[in-house]
Amino acid sequence: MEYDIRREPVYGSMRLDKTRLVPYNRESALEAAELLKYGELVAIPTETVYGLAADALNENAVKQIFRAKGRPQDNPLIVHIASMKMLPPLVREIPDTAKALAERFWGGPLTMIFPKSDKVPCITSGGLDTVAVRMPASEAACEIIKRCGFPLAAPSANLSGKPSPTTARHVFEDMNGRIPLIIDGGECEVGVESTVICFKGDKIHILRPGGITAEMLSEFGEVEVDRAVTAQPEKDERVLSPGMKYKHYSPKADVYVVNAHGKTFEEYCIKRSRFENDLIVLGAGVAERGVFHDYGSTPEIQAQRLFALLRKADELGAKTVLVEMPEHSGMGLAVYNRLLRAAGFKIIELEKEYGNN
Ligand code: TXA
Ligand code: MG
């Protein structure tokens, strides 16, 4: 940790030979905060996925995020805070429902969209006049934000288009040479990104499903789920959340969601694996054997494992990945949403042909 930022003043995120990966502790949190104060990028753990953080209020620092990720500039970032005190300067208005939701679900995997104040640079909000804010539950993330004293813009710390990172090793695979520091806080608990909501009058509108489910939110008002959560946007359709229009979470392999369960699903996959090399299967609660990998028997476990398994598909050199259709309610909606995008909305319908079993 004898890394002196004054002796090596400019790493310019793309010019590094090597990125340091250090475990989260008091010292590394301090070092992360120092780098962030200098306008550098640091990858930090959160309870959802790893984030690629920069000072949210520093235009030049935020620009580096888009560069390091290869992210389109019209895709806005989430601003992370560590206390309720940090919210009012970022926004023009806080609806009562938002106050109630913050009280109940912050720190946690819920992102809320507010009209933005002038303090938030346009680059952070992707040119929109709104800003997405979340307070993470992760101790590491909050500690680093507190040490900085300013909010952190942090998208998922993957290269744009790749599955989000749920371990520090995933971040290293994508960001080595692009950023100076990765803080390793272990495996992310939730495994998929936060729920993103906006407010339409009294209604809570879900733009991206996540760990705080529609069912949980419905205690606080009428909840509607944006069409883009489960449907492919039409060409040129205006989507409320710009992130929804990009291909996402994709391994190199072709991913298909297979709408079948139990024996129907397994027999279909076995049949295909006889004729196709480089095929792997992610089944919900299947016994691990041959081409079959278990992606979890509950939506919560599936969320934790999904991105790591999509990355593993690449490591295994898979050309095709067949994934058993997840549930569509509770946390299942978040898993389904990520899978649809990983699959480019390709669904193989077997239920209709063979009936449900
Ligand atoms: O769990 C998470 O939210 C993680 C961790 C690191 O906190 N972050 C994350 O950020 O997933 P990112 O950039 O990968 O996803 C942010 C999503 C995008 O789909 C973006 O379009 C949407 O939030 N978003 C951000 N600001 C928005 C705004 N003002 N209006 C609508 N959508 C917005
Ligand atoms: Mg992302």
Side-chain angles (χ1 to χ4, degrees):
M1 226 128 321
E2 58 301 325
Y3 191 60
D4 185 343
I5 43 176
R6 275 145 306 193
R7 265 191 283 125
E8 289 175 279
V10 189
Y11 329 108
S13 302
M14 316 302 271
R15 272 170 280 135
L16 285 168
D17 293 332
K18 208 160 175 275
T19 296
R20 287 170 57 246
L21 197 160
V22 298
Y24 168 69
N25 54 37
R26 219 182 70 85
E27 262 171 84
S28 63
L30 268 174
E31 189 189 359
E34 278 305 302
L35 284 165
L36 289 160
K37 282 179 197 165
Y38 276 84
E40 285 290 346
L41 305 186
V42 178
I44 60 169
T46 86
E47 74 281 15
T48 56
V49 300
Y50 276 75
L52 183 59
D55 179 350
L57 308 180
N58 176 340
E59 220 178 291
N60 284 325
V62 173
K63 264 188 202 151
Q64 298 302 318
I65 293 182
F66 289 91
R67 254 181 96 193
K69 271 183 69 91
R71 181 178 174 110
Q73 291 226 353
D74 67 346
N75 195 0
L77 305 175
I78 294 173
V79 176
H80 296 66
I81 58 176
S83 70
M84 270 319 264
K85 272 202 318 261
M86 294 177 85
L87 180 63
L90 303 173
V91 304
R92 273 181 283 127
E93 191 197 315
I94 307 175
D96 286 340
T97 315
K99 282 181 200 151
L101 289 171
E103 185 139 321
R104 174 74 182 79
F105 297 117
W106 276 1
L110 178 68
T111 297
M112 295 192 261
I113 299 192
F114 301 93
K116 89 170 185 68
S117 75
D118 292 339
K119 255 192 121 172
V120 180
C122 277
I123 178 104
T124 302
S125 67
L128 299 174
D129 61 1
T130 53
V131 61
V133 185
R134 122 169 161 91
M135 189 193 294
S138 154
E139 184 208 314
C142 288
E143 181 62 24
I144 293 167
I145 298 166
K146 281 186 193 145
R147 298 237 170 241
C148 287
F150 47 75
L152 295 178
S156 47
N158 50 290
L159 287 175
S160 217
K162 292 248 283 179
S164 297
T166 54
T167 66
R169 187 177 66 82
H170 296 160
V171 180
F172 191 81
E173 281 165 14
D174 283 13
M175 290 297 150
N176 186 21
R178 292 172 183 255
I179 61 174
L181 187 65
I182 300 168
I183 303 291
D184 186 350
E187 219 167 295
C188 299
E189 224 170 281
V190 181
V192 293
E193 308 85 344
S194 62
T195 305
V196 179
I197 60 168
C198 64
F199 300 97
K200 284 189 168 174
D202 287 339
K203 280 193 198 147
I204 301 169
H205 188 83
I206 300 185
L207 296 171
R208 180 177 73 181
I212 304 300
T213 63
E215 291 81 354
M216 290 155 88
L217 293 168
S218 66
E219 267 180 53
F220 295 81
E222 194 184 325
V223 175
E224 54 182 26
V225 178
D226 198 82
R227 207 185 83 82
V229 165
T230 52
Q232 191 162 21
E234 303 287 328
K235 204 167 166 270
D236 298 329
E237 180 181 333
R238 202 183 143 267
V239 284
L240 276 176
S241 183
M244 290 291 188
K245 68 184 179 202
Y246 296 107
K247 193 170 183 208
H248 260 21
Y249 317 121
S250 302
K252 292 189 194 100
D254 245 347
V255 180
Y256 296 86
V257 183
V258 182
N259 191 17
H261 301 283
K263 252 176 122 179
T264 314
F265 174 71
E266 291 187 28
E267 280 171 10
Y268 172 80
C269 295
I270 290 169
K271 217 191 278 170
R272 278 193 63 167
S273 72
R274 286 207 193 104
F275 299 101
E276 294 171 55
N277 294 326
D278 308 321
L279 175 138
I280 69 165
V281 179
L282 308 185
V286 293
E288 302 238 354
R289 65 195 192 281
V291 296
F292 285 90
H293 299 259
D294 178 22
Y295 89 110
S297 49
T298 67
E300 286 72 22
I301 302 174
Q302 291 168 358
Q304 276 170 352
R305 291 188 187 164
L306 182 66
F307 288 144
L309 282 167
L310 291 177
R311 280 178 183 259
K312 191 169 169 191
D314 274 351
E315 276 168 31
L316 294 172
K319 288 212 176 76
T320 308
V321 185
L322 303 177
V323 192
E324 184 170 344
M325 178 68 91
E327 284 173 30
H328 295 182
S329 60
M331 190 70 170
L333 187 62
V335 176
Y336 182 44
N337 167 267
R338 305 313 189 271
L339 261 178
L340 279 176
R341 279 170 173 71
F345 291 87
K346 297 189 297 296
I347 302 180
I348 297 170
E349 288 289 352
L350 296 183
E351 295 274 276
K352 281 183 202 142
E353 285 173 43
Y354 302 112
N356 212 334
N357 66 351

